[in-house]
Amino acid sequence: MKKQTFLLGFSIILFFFSLTITKAQSPEQNLEKLGIALPKVSPPVANYVNAVRVGNLLYLAGKGPSKPDGSYITGKLGKDLSIEQGYEAAKLVAIAHISVLKAELGDLKKVKRIVKVLGMVNCLDTFADQPKVINGYSDMMVAIFGEKGKHARSAVGMYALPMNIAVEVEVIVEIED
Amino acid sequence: MKKQTFLLGFSIILFFFSLTITKAQSPEQNLEKLGIALPKVSPPVANYVNAVRVGNLLYLAGKGPSKPDGSYITGKLGKDLSIEQGYEAAKLVAIAHISVLKAELGDLKKVKRIVKVLGMVNCLDTFADQPKVINGYSDMMVAIFGEKGKHARSAVGMYALPMNIAVEVEVIVEIED
Amino acid sequence: MKKQTFLLGFSIILFFFSLTITKAQSPEQNLEKLGIALPKVSPPVANYVNAVRVGNLLYLAGKGPSKPDGSYITGKLGKDLSIEQGYEAAKLVAIAHISVLKAELGDLKKVKRIVKVLGMVNCLDTFADQPKVINGYSDMMVAIFGEKGKHARSAVGMYALPMNIAVEVEVIVEIED
């Protein structure tokens, strides 16, 4: 009898423990935990839209590293900005894309997978660490979406970007039905 | 009786009026109205094809600004060409893509959505107005396809493009079933 | 009776002949015939993955020209490398992607279509033969997958690529259900 009570108690503890480990944080909770307030989505700068959905794929327009005041981080890696500054800029691009996703989907839990990232770094031709810069984008996506945030990626060096922004990224996202 | 006749007449007028406002111009009519004759599709310059369809998505190969005589607009923005000349070049790239769509689909009404555009501008590193150049492409797509022509987009600056063409664009298009 | 025997024999010959002409080489056989041993898949250099599948599409991360010893072909076209050397580098990128496909799919016969290629060439701004370089990638894909290897493509010139690699390519592949 005593043994049964023990087993029952142990099972109840296991049950609640499993609840704890399977209760993943929502992307919104992850944002809050990191102290990130999503900025207002910046309007497209021309005759296009921020996102187009086809089936369960969402194609997002290229975004740059916009600061909370709406201005952009500008300059070239290898000349004006350090790798760390580029990394921080790439994080801001990820936040800009997450803002677009939030505006499009309402609930970030509808993100099924960050599928494909093209990360473009404004840099000198002697700069060879584009991956370390775009890691700012990738790390932020994984911090917010967990395993769903892991994507296929290219990271390349650009000669010129609009308004001399430091980083531009475009992304394809899979959405829950 | 008179009132009934009036109501009948009014209904008939409403009916024809509704016909008028719902009869959207076809893309082909829009091309004609703008005096645009679609050029012959230029063959791929190597071991690839102009378009690949997967499900209801059509992936188009990158195209350049080909003039009616088959030659290309070449040169770098910020040095050889003005923004206006770049804008006109980007319009020619849109027309080249519409030619490919016409050849693939027969009827441009089968275009459901211009989904995603990557606009690449041959330019100096001091040139920061890539969006104003690629607007030539975007504006043309919206002029021909209306709301269906509005796409997600990136516009970036390239160090070098094949044959020194001024603009190259690649695009993904959604097709009606 | 003799005529029937003749017809039977003729049918049997036809049957075996049809077997011969419908038995296409498998991609693995094509690799073997060309003496290509697939290298081990190089791990992603950061917080991302080599491939993401959505429905029947596989998005592959950008890859560079890795040699059998794991090092990369580096340098700029128009300065450090000839077109032929660039072509050979692009072939190595194709082999790197085929290695990823083999690791993801097990059997390369599951490749239904190489859909879309973005070929990026590290080069000078005076270099205009990006298509001739990326042909190394395209020709290899067609050599291994036949008609299924023919893709839509863009070939462009980059100012800088990670680790100064000569070529980087990203690709979308359609997979059999």
Side-chain angles (χ1 to χ4, degrees):
Chain A
M1 186 67 175
K2 212 171 179 188
K3 196 176 170 188
Q4 280 181 335
T5 312
F6 169 77
L7 279 174
L8 182 67
F10 190 68
S11 298
I12 290 171
I13 289 168
L14 258 187
F15 173 71
F16 281 100
F17 184 70
S18 69
L19 273 190
T20 313
I21 56 169
T22 58
K23 200 192 74 181
Q25 299 275 337
S26 77
E28 280 84 353
Q29 286 171 316
N30 289 332
L31 285 166
E32 203 186 333
K33 214 167 52 183
L34 293 171
I36 298 169
L38 290 180
K40 238 184 113 224
V41 173
S42 61
V45 295
N47 202 358
Y48 65 93
V49 294
N50 273 319
V52 172
R53 182 168 181 168
V54 181
N56 59 344
L57 287 182
L58 202 59
Y59 291 82
L60 266 60
K63 285 283 175 191
S66 44
K67 293 184 278 190
D69 66 3
S71 70
Y72 286 99
I73 294 179
T74 59
K76 280 187 166 293
L77 271 290
K79 193 178 75 170
D80 310 313
L81 299 167
S82 68
I83 290 178
E84 291 68 32
Q85 288 172 311
Y87 179 92
E88 292 300 319
K91 276 170 68 173
L92 289 178
V93 183
I95 292 169
H97 271 158
I98 295 169
S99 292
V100 173
L101 289 171
K102 179 75 177 171
E104 292 286 324
L105 302 172
D107 185 344
L108 291 175
K109 257 184 291 190
K110 290 183 185 162
V111 169
K112 191 169 175 186
R113 187 75 188 256
I114 306 295
V115 175
K116 171 64 187 53
V117 165
L118 176 59
M120 296 170 280
V121 178
N122 196 354
C123 64
L124 292 191
D125 63 346
T126 49
F127 186 77
D129 281 323
Q130 291 82 10
K132 289 184 187 166
V133 171
I134 299 301
N135 280 355
Y137 186 95
S138 299
D139 290 349
M140 179 60 79
M141 285 304 192
V142 174
I144 301 306
F145 296 105
E147 283 298 308
K148 295 176 180 180
K150 288 201 177 168
H151 44 266
R153 183 182 107 174
S154 301
V156 296
M158 306 303 288
Y159 190 47
L161 287 175
M163 299 165 284
N164 197 32
I165 54 175
V167 181
E168 178 165 346
V169 179
E170 58 172 48
V171 64
I172 304 171
V173 179
E174 187 187 14
I175 305 301
E176 298 284 353
D177 287 329
Chain B
M1 186 70 177
K2 211 171 179 187
K3 196 178 172 187
Q4 280 180 333
T5 312
F6 169 76
L7 279 175
L8 182 67
F10 190 69
S11 300
I12 290 171
I13 290 169
L14 258 186
F15 172 72
F16 280 101
F17 183 70
S18 69
L19 274 190
T20 312
I21 57 168
T22 57
K23 201 192 73 181
Q25 299 275 336
S26 76
E28 279 84 352
Q29 286 171 316
N30 289 332
L31 284 166
E32 203 187 333
K33 214 166 53 183
L34 294 170
I36 298 169
L38 290 180
K40 236 182 116 225
V41 173
S42 61
V45 295
N47 202 358
Y48 64 92
V49 295
N50 272 320
V52 172
R53 181 168 181 168
V54 180
N56 58 343
L57 287 181
L58 202 58
Y59 291 82
L60 266 60
K63 284 284 177 189
S66 45
K67 292 184 279 189
D69 67 3
S71 69
Y72 286 100
I73 294 180
T74 59
K76 280 187 164 293
L77 271 290
K79 194 178 76 170
D80 310 312
L81 298 167
S82 67
I83 291 179
E84 292 68 33
Q85 288 172 311
Y87 180 92
E88 292 301 318
K91 277 170 69 172
L92 288 178
V93 183
I95 292 169
H97 271 159
I98 295 169
S99 292
V100 172
L101 289 170
K102 179 76 177 171
E104 291 287 324
L105 302 172
D107 185 345
L108 291 174
K109 256 184 291 190
K110 290 184 187 163
V111 170
K112 192 170 175 186
R113 188 73 187 258
I114 305 296
V115 175
K116 171 65 186 50
V117 164
L118 176 59
M120 297 171 278
V121 178
N122 196 354
C123 63
L124 291 192
D125 63 347
T126 49
F127 186 78
D129 282 322
Q130 292 82 8
K132 288 184 187 166
V133 171
I134 300 301
N135 281 354
Y137 186 96
S138 298
D139 290 349
M140 179 59 78
M141 285 303 190
V142 174
I144 301 306
F145 295 106
E147 283 298 308
K148 295 176 181 178
K150 288 200 177 168
H151 45 267
R153 183 183 107 175
S154 301
V156 296
M158 305 304 287
Y159 190 49
L161 288 175
M163 298 166 285
N164 197 31
I165 53 175
V167 182
E168 177 165 346
V169 179
E170 58 171 49
V171 65
I172 305 170
V173 179
E174 187 187 14
I175 306 300
E176 299 283 354
D177 288 330
Chain C
M1 185 68 179
K2 212 171 177 188
K3 196 177 172 187
Q4 281 181 332
T5 312
F6 170 76
L7 278 174
L8 182 68
F10 190 68
S11 299
I12 290 170
I13 290 169
L14 256 186
F15 172 72
F16 280 100
F17 184 69
S18 69
L19 273 189
T20 312
I21 56 169
T22 57
K23 201 191 71 181
Q25 298 276 335
S26 76
E28 279 84 352
Q29 287 172 316
N30 290 331
L31 283 165
E32 203 187 332
K33 213 167 53 183
L34 293 170
I36 298 170
L38 290 180
K40 239 186 111 223
V41 173
S42 61
V45 293
N47 203 357
Y48 65 92
V49 294
N50 272 320
V52 172
R53 181 167 181 170
V54 181
N56 59 343
L57 287 181
L58 201 59
Y59 291 81
L60 266 60
K63 284 283 175 191
S66 44
K67 292 183 278 189
D69 67 3
S71 69
Y72 286 99
I73 294 179
T74 58
K76 282 187 163 291
L77 271 290
K79 193 178 75 170
D80 309 312
L81 299 167
S82 69
I83 291 179
E84 290 68 32
Q85 289 173 310
Y87 179 92
E88 291 301 319
K91 276 170 68 173
L92 288 179
V93 183
I95 292 168
H97 270 159
I98 294 169
S99 292
V100 173
L101 289 171
K102 179 75 177 171
E104 292 286 323
L105 303 172
D107 185 344
L108 291 174
K109 257 184 289 189
K110 292 183 185 162
V111 170
K112 192 170 175 185
R113 187 75 187 257
I114 305 296
V115 175
K116 170 65 186 50
V117 165
L118 176 59
M120 296 171 279
V121 179
N122 196 354
C123 64
L124 291 191
D125 64 345
T126 48
F127 186 77
D129 281 322
Q130 292 82 8
K132 288 183 188 167
V133 171
I134 300 301
N135 280 355
Y137 186 95
S138 299
D139 290 349
M140 179 59 78
M141 285 303 191
V142 173
I144 301 306
F145 296 105
E147 284 298 307
K148 295 175 180 179
K150 288 200 177 170
H151 45 267
R153 184 183 108 174
S154 300
V156 296
M158 306 303 288
Y159 190 47
L161 287 175
M163 298 165 285
N164 197 32
I165 53 175
V167 181
E168 179 166 345
V169 179
E170 59 171 48
V171 65
I172 304 170
V173 179
E174 187 186 15
I175 305 300
E176 298 284 353
D177 288 329

